[in-house]
Amino acid sequence: MIALADTNLFNLKQLNYFKKKGIVNIRDLLFYFPRKYIDRNKKLDLRKINPQEVITFIAAVKNNIIKYGRRRRLSVVLEYEGTLIEAVFFQKLSYYQRVLKNGVEAAFSGKIEIFRGTYSMTHPDFEIVTEDELVHTGKIIPIYKITETMQSNFITSRVIRQSIHSIIKLYFNNIYDHLSEEIIQKLNLCDISIAVKNMHFPKSWENLETAKRRLAFDELLVFCVLMDEIKEKRKEIKKSFSLKNNNDLYTSELTNKLPFELTKDQKSAISKLNELSRNNWPFGALLQGDVGSGKTLVALFSALKYAENKIQTAIMAPTEILAKQHYKNFLNYLSFMPFFPMDILVGKEKASERKAKLQRLKRGETLLIIGTHSLIQEDVEFLNLGFVIIDEQHRFGVEQRESLRKKGLNTDFLAMTATPIPRSLTLTIYGDLEPIIINEKPAGRKPVDTRLFDEKDIDKLYKGIKKYVDQGRQAYIVYPLIDENENTEWASLMSDYEYLEKDIFKGYRMGILHGRLSSEEKERAMQKFKEGLIQIIVSTTVVEVGVDVPNAVVILIRNAEKFGLSQLHQLRGRVGRAEHQSFCIMVKSNKITDEAERRLQAMLESEDGFYLAQKDLEIRGPGELLGIKQSGLSEFKIADLRYHSNLAEKAKTIINENKKIKETIMSVNKWQTNLRKGFLLFHN
Ligand code: ADP
Ligand code: MG
């Protein structure tokens, strides 16, 4: 690989700076992609600009003066296509005054405000462009990320642009494509050399997209190979225990005692997990099933397999309500064996009780422990933890799941999620896990009747709720209290509640549930709701995850536009859990964005979690869909999973069909530290 030092393009100071950033050879520099591009030919209509939007344009400096007013400032007048725009700077006035001299042309970006017919920008981002350079670059100009230190080492966007230009010119033919022509054609990709060139100097926006697609594919290919490796490596690890199949004391009894038949998908999920658990290496699996598809029972059945072998299982749920619900359900399912060694560990508990529980756990007497985050506290020890189950996995970070796993030795691992994500995304995000999917819902469930209303219909809707409650059913009313410290929203929930309780639903048994209640209060409210003592529960999203009350048939969602699609789908999943006809009533305010409208329409269109997940992905992108905790995983350098996720599946196929590719990638990655970088070889 040709070192940057050998190109004579940079001085020593610059080379040192690059080295610090891990850029030592020409390949590294070629992968220093532009942060944005400017289309010189695109004309902006300043009258139609959106003041919220960052726009970029090339303008000439007409004048600059320091003004004294309430605050000293530098006012730089720019001319763009005959229109004057004032750029205002409040800091480093003399520096900007020196740089933005009369006649200088620069690419400016920022938000433009219009005030009494004049256009202005505050502290716009800018980069000076010179005429001779514009001639070189064509109509789309790449702009590179330049930090202040780079600037002070004289590494400007321009320097980078010109160096890359020279490198491509000199070494274009040396760029080696590791993908065979056959694969490139089959997948309709472009050559790597062209892709790299077009990332920096695209002739058109289509060119750029094509380049991105190719690099995204490489990136995903590397990623999939590494995921495969992780899976393979896991097979070399020895589990500290082995499960024998000859004992199915608990499981067969549970099958007989269940009041219903397991669905086909539940059965196959259970047998898949049993199969994985009999391997002598630890497995990792992801159980995806829509809300209400009965994942909890699958978890219980597989945990019992370990219990039959005297191996401990821990189930971690994101909230106390959920942990307690699992515990109670399990007690219920297992009521035929009242002494089954099972326990629950949640936040606040009497010290003496907690101590006793921890002791039983440490001595290996407890075979199944259910809990919240409290399970990962330091004082929690196991004798032989062999199986870790994470419910509502998207609520946890990777570190949390790993710290629970570390309480055992090479434990098996099952993540469960009711946020279905598109298959292509599963491959990339959870590539190291074995996917298990439950599609089928338990028999006898009717689709939830989903409808959308305006605020003004609210009284009519309340009447509707009363009708069903009078028939003996129960209802949820949900408010979008996103941040419970947000006092105005808080006030609205509390005052609404009072009004609902004392006025609208007078004479009905009401309850409230929100994050500011203590966990005992939450638990009590939820318990009362489950037992039917509360008929209508007014709640925030605390109720969202996994709560199961089959007699509840209406969920009314206030300000439905404020919820994400996956969240709405989760909320809807609170009803329709038994044979009664159920309703999901979404109420929207009149202040609603197009994007929110699309989400609500999607809810009306479908009740299929996978379909909605795909929609959500398209509307919001993967970061949002997966929640902040997971988004680190979706930060690819080039690949944008909204558009490129299907490439992951293709990459997977290529890897399976072509073992050599995997070898190549693994050998390249020996010297490649940054796995997101894609890979690119040179003939020397
Ligand atoms: P989720 O997949 O959302 O976690 P749960 O495990 O909470 O769903 O199950 C939802 C409800 O369905 C529970 O009340 C559970 O007892 C019930 N259930 C689970 N499996 C079946 C089945 N095979 N037939 C009927 N009801 C079932
Ligand atoms: Mg659940």
Side-chain angles (χ1 to χ4, degrees), residues 295-296 326 391-392 546:
K295 294 182 291 297
T296 325
H326 287 337
D391 192 20
E392 307 296 343

Side-chain angles (χ1 to χ4, degrees), residues 292 295-296 322 325-326 391-392 416 418 545-547 574 577:
K295 294 182 291 297
T296 325
L322 216 55
Q325 175 179 292
H326 287 337
D391 192 20
E392 307 296 343
M416 305 203 287
V545 209
V547 175
R574 298 305 108 223
R577 298 191 146 238

Side-chain angles (χ1 to χ4, degrees), residues 130-142:
T130 55
E131 196 45 47
D132 62 321
E133 201 186 359
L134 295 183
V135 175
H136 282 308
T137 41
K139 75 171 184 122
I140 298 174
I141 307 169

Side-chain angles (χ1 to χ4, degrees), residues 260-263 266 289-297 325-326 329 333 391-392 418 442-443 445 546 548 550 574 577:
F260 43 72
E261 171 103 22
L262 291 173
T263 65
Q266 279 174 319
D290 217 338
V291 278
S293 60
K295 294 182 291 297
T296 325
L297 260 179
Q325 175 179 292
H326 287 337
N329 279 342
Y333 290 135
D391 192 20
E392 307 296 343
R445 302 265 171 90
D548 186 35
R574 298 305 108 223
R577 298 191 146 238

